[in-house]
């Protein structure tokens, strides 16, 4: 038996034995790492991008001042993520949709930010915290874990052991269509919050910005329908906000940069730019690729 097959089979036996939740998550992550290579993750991310471009007719912002600014801020938190996942090559895109307040990341390091989120955030620290959170999903291999959880250990073992080389293509096609790769559990969201707080603080930003962003959106809930795009994808419960702040305190995370002046300049720039030409009603994208990411259970 090949070493990889033996490793996967051993993990499968352990997982099948009914471990505690935290232990199961750790083993599933190890199994996902053994099963999905960086090249395969990039293949998944590229497939999802093609779906976004071709089927959802995504429109990207091309204004150099705005795009360069977003990519620069993203680069500060991604630099921390690269230390944990040096195998990921990141790409950052700005979607020209001001009706959607959202951001998401896909396997392979494809990170997307909507214009609506840029216009809703108050400062650079909030933007950085959101992108740090999304970076955490990629670093923690949450998409690969979803494959393990959704398709079972037998399929994973066969794919990892090379017994069914066509299975990956079959699974990725199905997953891309259903959006399973971006469907994060509450535990995944909590872990991404913790990564986000660490990366934001490590880049010099105030790590409380993500919690304050949630609190402000909650306060405006009902007065602005587009806010629901983010709150439905990232449920901002009181417990979750409390956990973020407690995690920051417990780990002595600190940072003071809010980037208010630079962000105000970008928001003024956004106000001068026309909106993208609306796509036909049947094709206009209303959020991330098909089915993703729904509210965490």
């Amino acid at each position: 038996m090949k070493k990889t097959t033996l490793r996967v089979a051993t993990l499968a036996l352990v997982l099948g034995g009914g471990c505690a939740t935290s232990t199961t998550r750790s083993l599933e992550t190890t199994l996902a790492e053994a099963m999905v290579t960086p090249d395969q993750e990039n293949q998944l991310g590229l497939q999802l991008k093609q779906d976004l471009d071709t089927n959802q007719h995504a429109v990207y912002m091309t204004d150099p001042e705005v795009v360069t600014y977003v990519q620069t801020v993203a680069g500060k938190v991604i630099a921390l993520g690269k230390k944990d996942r040096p195998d990921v090559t990141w790409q950052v895109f700005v979607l020209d949709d001001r009706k959607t307040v959202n951001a998401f990341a896909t396997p392979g390091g494809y990170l997307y930010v909507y214009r609506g989120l840029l216009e809703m955030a108050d400062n650079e620290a909030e933007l950085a915290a959101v992108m740090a959170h999304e970076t955490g999903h990629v670093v923690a291999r949450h998409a690969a874990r979803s494959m393990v959880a959704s398709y079972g250990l037998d399929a994973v073992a066969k794919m990892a052991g090379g017994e069914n080389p066509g299975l990956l293509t079959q699974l990725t096609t199905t997953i891309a269509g259903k959006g399973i790769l971006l469907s994060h559990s509450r535990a995944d969201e909590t872990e991404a919050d913790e990564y986000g707080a660490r990366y934001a603080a490590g880049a010099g930003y105030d790590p409380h910005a993500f919690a304050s962003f949630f609190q402000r959106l909650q306060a405006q809930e009902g007065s602005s329908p587009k806010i629901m795009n983010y709150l439905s994808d990232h449920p901002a419960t009181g417990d979750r906000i409390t956990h973020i702040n407690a995690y920051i305190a417990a780990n002595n995370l600190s940072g003071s940069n809010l980037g208010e002046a630079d962000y105000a300049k970008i928001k003024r720039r956004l106000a001068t730019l026309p909106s993208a030409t609306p796509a036909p009603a049947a094709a206009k994208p209303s959020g991330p690729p098909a089915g993703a990411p729904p509210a965490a259970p």
Side-chain angles (χ1 to χ4, degrees), residues 33-269:
E33 182 179 357
M35 179 267 291
V36 184
T37 68
D39 284 345
Q40 290 168 336
E41 284 190 307
N42 189 64
Q43 176 185 338
L44 295 172
L46 179 60
Q47 185 168 342
L48 288 167
K49 186 177 187 304
Q50 290 172 341
D51 177 75
L52 185 66
D53 295 346
T54 303
N55 298 326
Q56 300 194 48
H57 306 279
V59 178
Y60 297 92
M61 292 202 72
T62 58
D63 180 76
E65 184 176 347
V66 173
V67 174
T68 299
Y69 174 81
V70 173
Q71 291 176 340
T72 299
V73 175
K76 295 177 182 179
V77 295
I78 287 172
L80 281 300
K82 284 182 176 179
K83 293 181 179 180
D84 294 324
R85 286 290 307 272
D87 55 317
V88 175
T89 300
W90 291 85
Q91 299 181 63
V92 180
F93 304 93
V94 181
L95 290 162
D96 196 357
D97 178 354
R98 66 192 318 171
K99 293 183 178 180
T100 301
V101 175
N102 217 334
F104 65 97
T106 65
Y110 294 78
L111 196 158
Y112 303 84
V113 179
Y114 284 84
R115 178 174 178 172
L117 190 145
L118 297 178
E119 295 179 337
M120 182 63 63
D122 255 1
N123 53 56
E124 187 175 300
E126 290 186 351
L127 173 62
V130 169
M131 293 194 291
H133 168 94
E134 298 303 333
T135 299
H137 280 306
V138 175
V139 170
R141 293 182 169 86
H142 288 158
R145 285 195 66 257
S146 293
M147 291 178 68
V148 175
S150 298
Y151 287 91
L153 296 172
D154 183 59
V156 169
K158 288 180 179 178
M159 184 159 39
E163 298 174 32
N164 189 345
L167 187 58
L168 178 64
T169 300
Q170 176 186 337
L171 291 183
T172 55
T173 300
T174 302
I175 291 169
K178 294 182 178 179
I180 294 173
L181 283 177
L182 303 178
S183 178
H184 301 304
S185 68
R186 180 61 54 83
D188 286 348
E189 292 290 356
T190 298
E191 187 175 23
D193 287 345
E194 294 174 355
Y195 271 105
R198 292 201 306 275
Y199 291 165
Y205 292 106
D206 182 349
H208 295 94
F210 195 41
S212 64
F213 181 60
F214 267 137
Q215 290 171 324
R216 193 159 44 77
L217 293 187
Q218 280 188 306
Q220 298 181 51
E221 185 176 355
S223 62
S224 178
K226 66 180 182 179
I227 290 176
M228 294 307 298
N229 292 115
Y230 199 87
L231 291 181
S232 63
D233 293 351
H234 304 76
T237 63
D239 287 345
R240 183 175 178 187
I241 293 171
T242 298
H243 176 78
I244 294 172
N245 289 327
Y247 180 84
I248 291 170
N251 290 274
N252 298 312
L253 301 179
S254 63
S256 58
N257 183 22
L258 292 176
E260 293 172 303
D262 288 341
Y263 203 74
K265 180 180 178 181
I266 286 300
K267 291 187 77 169
R268 288 194 296 270
R269 175 65 179 171

